[in-house]
Amino acid sequence: MCFLPGQVCRAPPHAGPAERSRCGAGRSGAGQRGAGQRGAAAGAAPARRGGAGSASGRLRPRGALARLLRGRTMPRRRGCCLPPLLCTLAALSLPLLLAAEPRARSCSEVRRLYAAKGFSQSEAPSHEISGDHLKVCSQGYTCCSQEMEEKYTQQSKHDFRNAVVELSSHLQTMFSSRYKKFDEFFKELLENAEKSLNDMFVRTYGRLYMQNSELFKDLFVELKRYYVGGNVNLEEMLNEFWARLLERMFRLVNPQYHFTDEYLECVSKYTEQLKPFGDVPRKLKLQVTRAFVAARTFAQGLAVARDVVSKVSAVNPTPQGTQALLKMMYCPYCRGLVSVKPCYNYCFNVMRGCLANQGDLDAEWNIFMDSMLLVAERLEGPFNIESVMDPIDVKISDAIMNMQENSMQVSQKVFQGCGQPKPLAQGRAARSVSEEHSFSARFRPYNPEERPTTAAGTSLDRLVTDVKEKLKQAKKFWSSLPGNICNDEKMSVGTVNENECWNGSAKSRYDFAVTGNGLASQVNNPEVEVDITKPDMVIRRQIMALRVMTNKLKNAYSGNDVDFIDISEESSGEESGSGCELQQCSSEFEFNATEVTGSSSKSDKNANTSAAARGSLSQAALLLSILFLAVQRQWR
């Protein structure tokens, strides 16, 4: 026997002796009075309804139905004793009913972390609330208000950008610092070479050199202008230098004659044929051209790599990517799971989707890195600008010595080709001869031990060795970027505890496979909706910039100079979707003057051929017209 709170045990009128005894003798009187009143009321009711005054005139419920009907009227009674079975069921179900009653959990830890981000704690509820207002996170009971979800959205974008910048900034800094080091080295190398030549020639030639020093200054001015990106044709510039030097030297070795400008111009035309300086001009031209092309191209390659990393790492996720980032990073906070980190593969898919366009850069980036490594090997070997510029004064000095030794033969051949010059007056000729003798007596080869130390406190070999290692490490940077971000313990749980991580909806295992790299592979990404038909134009322009620079590096590796037209950021139609391959896009490059001349002659031939063809067609058309008129007249 069991009682509900506030109930008094009273035996019903139909109870047997055993049931009445359970309620106790002390309460029997009150029970009998209550039973008598209820019995009288029960007896009067049938008499009033049926008129027979007897219970036999109607059907009365019995057994369980009767007990159920009597139980319906219990709340109106002051108390009742429940049947044993029903009482036992009520006692057993009471803890379950109490446990099923919803209790609002505390959001204190979520509030604390929210305030730690710099947000107002008043926007965070103290206990769980209904999540009907949430747009991305689960709409069940939540610790996030609408304002919190909006600010977490911006925070997730901020965290994502920081993660990308943090990894790419190391790469950008590396390229930037190495470019500055190479640039400083090359410029100082030129300065040292010019100073060395000037000091040596002043000591060797004295006033004669100082009277003609602008010729050598112009040489270094043009070399510096080429290195910094000026429109200088090295081959033509060096040919001009040797022609001008021949003019000056020809006067010095023939001081008894007067030479007009027209005569000296004729002399310069014989430079290639006479080879007055021996084989030095040819060798030096080959060495300087290859070394300067490789050095300038390599330095430009470092600058291009720096700029590409800077522009590509400035990511701006799409709205769909932002939602995926919010769901991964901060939706578990709304569920109160502040210590549960995203699953590794889940993070991988989100990052692959948000960095889909960066993944497409990887193939061209790797080709570019390989081309840089090839040119670096050239700089260590035959195209070493340091080995060319350090002894350039010695090489020019050797050329001058060759001219002096062969001056008689050279002069005779020039006189045969350009005519006999007019002799000078007797006094002027004597002074010129004495200067020339002084010039010859003081001439001596340069002592290599007097050469200055290497530029920028280092050597080209050490610089190249260092940067080669960095270039190898930079390969596959963009394809490995999503994985490197997720390897950070702040971003995911890693490859351990795969069952105790946030999978986007609960603390459980993540079952989806990881998608491939690049934009096209994201069509099956389960976490980020990516429009594979709309590539990022900023990244497409960087892909084109890498292709152009790679083509230039390949030409530099072969010793060929190619000046390309820079692709500006404002250009349209030159990025992705143009279908332009390097071998086909001749409009993107300007080749050397010799190649342009050859192309022009071919174009002239093609133009003449086209004109001839058009003339033949016109004559044929005229002939057909005459025949048509003749036939028409005959037909009439």
Side-chain angles (χ1 to χ4, degrees):
M1 185 64 66
C2 164
F3 303 96
L4 292 178
Q7 286 187 324
V8 179
C9 181
R10 297 180 184 275
H14 57 276
E19 205 168 344
R20 288 177 182 273
S21 64
R22 286 197 204 97
C23 290
R27 294 186 295 271
S28 61
Q32 289 174 358
R33 286 194 299 272
Q37 293 172 358
R38 287 191 297 273
R48 287 194 300 270
R49 294 191 186 103
S54 172
S56 61
R58 60 189 297 270
L59 294 175
R60 300 186 64 179
R62 297 181 181 180
L65 181 58
R67 289 194 295 272
L68 181 60
L69 291 176
R70 283 194 296 273
R72 288 173 54 188
T73 61
M74 273 196 315
R76 290 196 296 262
R77 301 176 184 176
R78 294 183 61 184
C80 175
C81 186
L82 294 176
L85 180 60
L86 184 59
C87 184
T88 303
L89 292 175
L92 293 175
S93 61
L94 184 59
L96 298 177
L97 294 174
L98 292 175
E101 183 180 356
R103 291 183 180 179
R105 289 184 296 181
S106 173
C107 298
S108 58
E109 187 64 14
V110 177
R111 283 166 58 88
R112 184 185 67 80
L113 294 175
Y114 184 72
K117 294 286 185 183
F119 304 130
S120 175
Q121 197 174 41
S122 62
E123 297 172 350
S126 59
H127 291 80
E128 284 184 333
I129 59 176
S130 175
D132 295 339
H133 54 276
L134 300 180
K135 298 179 180 179
V136 178
C137 298
S138 175
Q139 293 186 337
Y141 282 97
T142 181
C143 286
C144 288
S145 62
Q146 183 176 354
E147 293 82 2
M148 291 177 67
E149 187 181 47
E150 292 173 357
K151 291 186 177 179
Y152 273 149
T153 299
Q154 299 302 319
Q155 186 66 37
S156 61
K157 291 171 64 175
H158 175 75
D159 294 347
F160 170 66
R161 288 170 178 163
N162 281 353
V164 175
V165 169
E166 183 178 352
L167 288 172
S168 58
S169 62
H170 297 295
L171 191 65
Q172 183 180 347
T173 302
M174 184 276 292
F175 283 118
S176 180
S177 63
R178 296 313 183 276
Y179 168 74
K180 290 179 181 178
K181 197 68 177 176
F182 268 90
D183 186 61
E184 178 186 1
F185 176 83
F186 291 145
K187 289 179 179 178
E188 192 170 331
L189 185 67
L190 289 175
E191 293 288 343
N192 289 346
E194 183 178 10
K195 184 178 182 300
S196 174
L197 184 143
N198 183 73
D199 293 344
M200 169 190 167
F201 279 34
V202 167
R203 291 194 305 268
T204 305
Y205 306 124
R207 187 167 58 88
L208 289 176
Y209 164 72
M210 297 179 69
Q211 291 174 349
N212 298 278
S213 60
E214 77 279 356
L215 174 64
F216 300 93
K217 289 181 180 178
D218 290 344
L219 169 66
F220 283 96
V221 166
E222 291 300 300
L223 290 175
K224 293 174 185 176
R225 193 162 71 88
Y226 172 83
Y227 171 72
V228 298
N231 187 19
V232 178
N233 187 303
L234 285 176
E235 184 175 348
E236 291 181 356
M237 184 269 293
L238 291 172
N239 288 338
E240 179 68 17
F241 167 76
W242 291 113
R244 291 176 63 190
L245 183 60
L246 176 61
E247 294 175 9
R248 305 293 178 96
M249 289 292 301
F250 195 76
R251 277 178 172 174
L252 292 175
V253 297
N254 295 284
Q256 68 274 24
Y257 295 105
H258 170 70
F259 299 104
T260 63
D261 292 340
E262 291 78 10
Y263 193 94
L264 292 176
E265 185 176 353
C266 177
V267 172
S268 65
K269 293 179 180 179
Y270 284 88
T271 305
E272 287 290 332
Q273 179 181 346
L274 298 176
K275 299 187 185 304
F277 301 107
D279 205 30
V280 173
R282 184 190 67 82
K283 291 181 178 179
L284 189 61
K285 180 170 62 177
L286 181 64
Q287 293 170 349
V288 168
T289 301
R290 287 180 172 180
F292 269 79
V293 167
R296 185 179 78 161
T297 306
F298 191 76
Q300 287 180 350
L302 293 173
V304 167
R306 174 201 62 196
D307 296 340
V308 167
V309 174
S310 174
K311 293 173 183 177
V312 174
S313 61
V315 292
N316 187 28
T318 63
Q320 294 81 7
T322 302
Q323 290 183 3
L325 292 169
L326 169 64
K327 184 179 178 183
M328 183 188 81
M329 295 181 180
Y330 291 106
C331 281
Y333 281 46
C334 297
R335 296 281 297 275
L337 303 174
V338 295
S339 61
V340 180
K341 298 177 183 178
C343 301
Y344 181 77
N345 287 350
Y346 174 41
C347 174
F348 217 141
N349 275 336
V350 172
M351 293 302 158
R352 279 273 172 89
C354 293
L355 297 170
N357 287 280
Q358 282 77 1
D360 282 347
L361 186 76
D362 199 63
E364 202 64 44
W365 175 265
N366 293 336
I367 297 173
F368 171 65
M369 289 293 108
D370 289 336
S371 301
M372 288 286 289
L373 287 169
L374 289 175
V375 176
E377 292 177 359
R378 290 293 201 199
L379 288 175
E380 289 179 315
F383 296 176
N384 190 318
I385 191 173
E386 189 175 19
S387 64
V388 172
M389 292 308 299
D390 270 354
I392 193 171
D393 47 6
V394 176
K395 295 176 180 178
I396 295 177
S397 179
D398 290 342
I400 294 174
M401 290 182 67
N402 290 334
M403 173 63 189
Q404 282 186 294
E405 293 172 358
N406 302 319
S407 60
M408 295 296 294
Q409 298 90 329
V410 171
S411 298
Q412 290 177 3
K413 291 182 179 180
V414 170
F415 293 160
Q416 292 175 3
C418 298
Q420 190 70 22
K422 295 180 179 180
L424 283 174
Q426 189 68 26
R428 295 179 60 189
R431 287 195 301 271
S432 299
V433 169
S434 64
E435 289 177 355
E436 192 272 332
H437 280 240
S438 173
F439 175 78
S440 299
R442 294 183 59 195
F443 190 86
R444 66 178 177 83
Y446 179 66
N447 185 2
E449 295 180 358
E450 300 177 9
R451 283 202 297 267
T453 57
T454 48
T458 184
S459 68
L460 183 62
D461 289 339
R462 286 197 292 270
L463 287 175
V464 172
T465 301
D466 170 67
V467 80
K468 280 174 64 177
E469 291 301 317
K470 299 296 188 295
L471 291 171
K472 293 175 183 177
Q473 295 171 10
K475 290 185 66 175
K476 298 184 179 180
F477 174 81
W478 302 107
S479 60
S480 60
L481 184 58
N484 289 334
I485 292 176
C486 293
N487 285 333
D488 189 344
E489 60 180 8
K490 295 182 294 185
M491 299 299 295
S492 80
V493 74
T495 56
V496 298
N497 297 327
E498 295 183 356
N499 295 320
E500 299 292 327
C501 54
W502 173 255
N503 64 5
S505 58
K507 180 182 177 182
S508 182
R509 185 181 183 87
Y510 185 75
D511 295 325
F512 291 102
V514 176
T515 58
N517 192 49
L519 186 63
S521 301
Q522 305 313 307
V523 66
N524 296 319
N525 193 313
E527 305 303 335
V528 187
E529 183 180 348
V530 181
D531 188 351
I532 63 173
T533 64
K534 295 181 179 179
D536 188 307
M537 289 297 104
V538 173
I539 294 180
R540 297 295 147 176
R541 282 193 287 269
Q542 301 316 306
I543 291 175
M544 181 57 68
L546 289 175
R547 287 178 180 172
V548 171
M549 194 66 225
T550 298
N551 187 74
K552 193 174 184 187
L553 288 164
K554 290 178 179 179
N555 280 278
Y557 176 78
S558 302
N560 302 323
D561 191 13
V562 176
D563 296 327
F564 62 87
I565 300 174
D566 191 18
I567 301 176
S568 64
E569 289 294 331
E570 293 77 20
S571 62
S572 59
E574 297 178 1
E575 316 84 22
S576 64
S578 64
C580 183
E581 296 295 334
L582 291 174
Q583 293 81 2
Q584 302 171 354
C585 299
S586 59
S587 62
E588 294 177 3
F589 302 92
E590 292 179 353
F591 292 87
N592 288 333
T594 54
E595 297 172 353
V596 173
T597 303
S599 301
S600 299
S601 62
K602 292 179 182 178
S603 299
D604 294 341
K605 292 179 182 179
N606 292 337
N608 294 335
T609 304
S610 301
R614 286 195 297 269
S616 300
L617 290 174
S618 300
Q619 293 175 0
L622 179 62
L623 181 62
L624 288 174
S625 300
I626 293 173
L627 290 175
F628 176 75
L629 290 174
V631 171
Q632 187 179 27
R633 184 175 299 173
Q634 185 177 4
W635 179 75
R636 288 177 178 177

